[in-house]
Amino acid sequence: MSDDGKLVADVIARHGHEPSRLLQVLVELQEALGWLPPGVLTQVAGGLGLSRAHVEGVAGFYSFLHARPVGRYRVLFSDNVTDRMLGAPALMEALCGKLWVERGKVSEDGLVSVDTTSCTGMCDQGPALLVNGRPLTRLNHARVNQIAELIRRQEPLAAWPAELFHVDDNIRRRDALLGSSQRPGEALKAAVMRGREGWLEEMRAANLRGRGGAGFTTAVKWMACRDAPGAGKVVVCNADEGEPGTFKDRVLLTSFADLVFEGMTLAAWATGAQRGFLYLRGEYRYLLEPLRAVLARRRNAGLLGRGILGETGFDFDIDIHLGAGAYVCGEETALLESLEGRRGTPRIRPPFPVTHGYKGRPTVVNNVETLAKTTLIAINGGAAFAATGTAQSTGTKLLSISGDCAYPGIYEYPFGVTIERVLEDCGASDVQAVQVGGASGVTLAGYEFHRRIAFEDVPTAGAFMVFDSSRDMFAVARNFVHFFAHESCGFCTPCRVGTSLLQGYMDKLASGHGAMMDLADIEWIDRLLKNASHCGLGSSAPNPVLDTLLKFRPAYERRLQHLDFAPAFDLDAALATARRMTGRDDPGAHLDTTQEATP
Ligand code: SF4
């Protein structure tokens, strides 16, 4: 057996020859081999009893998996709008120049490849990049020079200076959650003392709503799962924090992992689940080992495993599943598909995951912050939790603040805080707009800064990006449109084609060929995406364009050169090669609408 064959056999055996572990098998093989050669995909298919087409389809879906060779050092610059504002494009160009490599290509000696990726979740300390999956933040030209030199010397990543990989938490404002001093197991003991029904009563009283953005009532979700027929219930923590501008879950997983795992165990106590998964986004791969260490510590302390806290029948344990660069997997049914080893294509609903989730079993899917918040309810009770925030949005909310402000980072506020208060606290001035909720959220103009962060006014999963008056809001919207076109999973036509068309129109405007008719077409595509897309990615993709067209229309109109229509490219110039090849340059070889055709 070849070395690769032995490696494949070992990895598959470690995953129990379980087809649903396909994505994890591919991730591990790529980490060992650098890429996924065709022969390896064939061996994986054989070893897991899957078709070659299925394995290839999964390998081709996730942007961090490569069925073609990439550089031994794979550099990916974060392409979020805030990284761009901090100079990421110029830094990438500088690195490419120093390493003699073209963006998107592999250097001739196979040493390095440089490209962009969607937001890496480091917007509070950008510009950022990933090198072989590890984040480097606060890039500047000195750091880029240092990175180029380390790559040229072929220094293994383990020997790179540790400070290059340092990631700050940047917690700027603490409230109930970030200020909590609870000990591991404290919340769990309190919930077990109340009994399963008593614990759910507290959750009902708290009226905690999901912090992932949709705001569904957590207790209702848990009760639906508990009451659903079927054994083997499952709790899933959605840590696929992919919304551009969001990074609060990164901080919770880094410094509050006990609260997250404790929240998952509290969900298991309420629902009777025995199995849990934490779905960790590929960009946070560097947190995998620290998180596994926390799990091991909790097992040793009797907070996971069989008979938790000595309670007969309270058996629950957690696996960590690594994503591989697919924003759509943040949608809960796409995440479940990914957990089962398939492409992250959103499912048709109903049925909902609470009755038919992971492998058809009743499953609760909750956001990282939601789960962490349940520990506060277990310790202090539902009424105390509901005493902060607003009637419809109880408790506090973590905001990930980035962009044009003096103090980017994590802020925890009671729900109901105004946009202007947040701007004041983060040291923002001369603010033109705030993007709340990331690319799929809402763009707020100055006259709306009295509005409140709350489900009943401005809901958000946590992203809060600030743009001062020097920023071009058309360019901001265009960056988001590119993001959605890149991240569309391609399953349904309105989104697959619509996001791509929208990108084409925005590029046309940016190139100076825009006309009034294009704005009308953009609005028509926006409506199509909103009404006909299969999942939230497609229906929210036009949000930034709709908002900026409404509130910052001059940013679009100053790009219009024609009132009716202009082609997206210069056809006459495009025919220059043909003219050269045929040796013609007479008037008849040019497009000239003023000239009549000769009979
Ligand atoms: Fe996929 Fe977009 Fe359709 Fe969602 S809306 S299923 S992301 S193609």
Side-chain angles (χ1 to χ4, degrees), residues 316-548:
F316 180 68
D317 212 333
I318 298 170
D319 281 333
I320 301 176
H321 181 109
L322 202 56
Y327 166 77
V328 72
C329 288
E331 197 277 344
E332 62 177 6
T333 62
L335 183 149
L336 292 171
E337 285 290 298
S338 182
L339 263 184
E340 293 181 25
R342 290 193 284 273
R343 296 161 69 93
T345 305
R347 295 175 181 172
I348 292 168
R349 296 184 293 179
F352 293 96
V354 284
T355 57
H356 297 77
Y358 176 73
K359 294 189 175 176
R361 299 170 194 165
T363 302
V364 155
V365 184
N366 283 136
N367 171 263
V368 171
E369 184 184 347
T370 311
L371 289 162
K373 290 269 163 68
T374 63
T375 62
L376 301 177
I377 299 165
I379 292 173
N380 304 319
F385 185 87
T388 50
T390 70
Q392 293 174 55
S393 309
T394 55
T396 62
K397 182 75 195 91
L398 300 191
L399 297 180
S400 315
I401 301 184
S402 62
D404 295 316
C405 61
Y407 314 111
I410 301 294
Y411 292 69
E412 183 180 15
Y413 288 102
F415 267 120
V417 66
T418 61
I419 304 292
E420 54 206 358
R421 163 78 198 278
V422 177
L423 289 172
E424 200 178 303
D425 288 355
C426 71
S429 58
D430 191 23
V431 179
Q432 174 182 202
V434 180
Q435 183 73 22
V436 184
S440 62
V442 58
T443 314
L444 299 177
Y447 64 86
E448 298 170 286
F449 291 171
H450 63 283
R451 294 181 63 184
R452 294 174 183 279
I453 300 286
F455 291 107
E456 62 272 31
D457 191 354
V458 183
T460 174
F464 190 103
M465 289 186 265
V466 183
F467 302 101
D468 70 20
S469 62
S470 72
R471 304 298 175 187
D472 177 355
M473 293 311 292
F474 167 82
V476 172
R478 182 169 166 238
N479 175 274
F480 293 151
V481 165
H482 275 255
F483 166 77
F484 284 119
H486 179 259
E487 295 294 342
S488 167
C489 82
F491 171 72
C492 67
T493 309
C495 173
R496 184 182 63 249
V497 178
T499 52
S500 168
L501 281 175
L502 201 51
Q503 175 175 259
Y505 276 105
M506 295 294 275
D507 289 351
K508 183 182 173 189
L509 260 63
S511 72
H513 291 94
M516 198 56 93
M517 194 170 155
D518 296 318
L519 295 191
D521 283 352
I522 285 174
E523 282 167 333
W524 180 80
I525 295 168
D526 285 345
R527 280 196 300 277
L528 175 87
L529 272 164
K530 267 224 158 320
N531 298 327
S533 294
H534 172 61
C535 84
L537 185 152
S539 59
S540 56
N543 289 357
V545 177
L546 286 172
D547 274 346
T548 49

Side-chain angles (χ1 to χ4, degrees), residues 7-80:
L7 175 71
V8 173
D10 287 350
V11 171
I12 287 178
R14 197 148 22 81
H15 287 277
H17 297 269
E18 173 55 56
S20 66
R21 302 293 295 174
L22 172 60
L23 180 55
Q24 303 312 293
V25 167
L26 294 176
V27 166
E28 280 186 32
L29 288 171
Q30 180 167 284
E31 283 190 2
L33 299 169
W35 67 296
L36 298 167
V40 164
L41 295 184
T42 305
Q43 287 161 1
V44 169
L48 292 176
L50 297 165
S51 73
R52 176 69 163 65
H54 178 93
V55 173
E56 201 170 326
V58 170
F61 182 82
Y62 296 90
S63 65
F64 286 176
L65 297 180
H66 313 295
R68 274 186 301 200
V70 288
R72 294 198 293 287
Y73 292 88
R74 181 159 199 252
V75 179
L76 293 172
F77 278 79
S78 182
D79 198 32
N80 187 30

Side-chain angles (χ1 to χ4, degrees), residues 171-184:
I171 297 173
R172 309 279 188 180
R173 188 181 195 281
R174 295 175 193 266
D175 206 299
L177 184 69
L178 301 182
S180 169
S181 56
Q182 60 182 282
R183 294 176 304 283

Side-chain angles (χ1 to χ4, degrees), residues 64-104:
F64 286 176
L65 297 180
H66 313 295
R68 274 186 301 200
V70 288
R72 294 198 293 287
Y73 292 88
R74 181 159 199 252
V75 179
L76 293 172
F77 278 79
S78 182
D79 198 32
N80 187 30
V81 66
T82 52
D83 292 280
R84 286 183 155 261
M85 284 156 52
L86 291 163
L91 292 169
M92 183 169 73
E93 207 178 302
L95 186 66
C96 286
K98 285 179 187 312
L99 293 169
W100 289 86
V101 63
E102 213 176 308
R103 181 200 155 172

Side-chain angles (χ1 to χ4, degrees), residues 247-259:
F247 45 88
K248 67 184 175 62
D249 293 349
R250 180 198 85 211
V251 175
L252 290 175
L253 294 166
T254 303
S255 301
F256 299 85
D258 262 304
L259 302 194

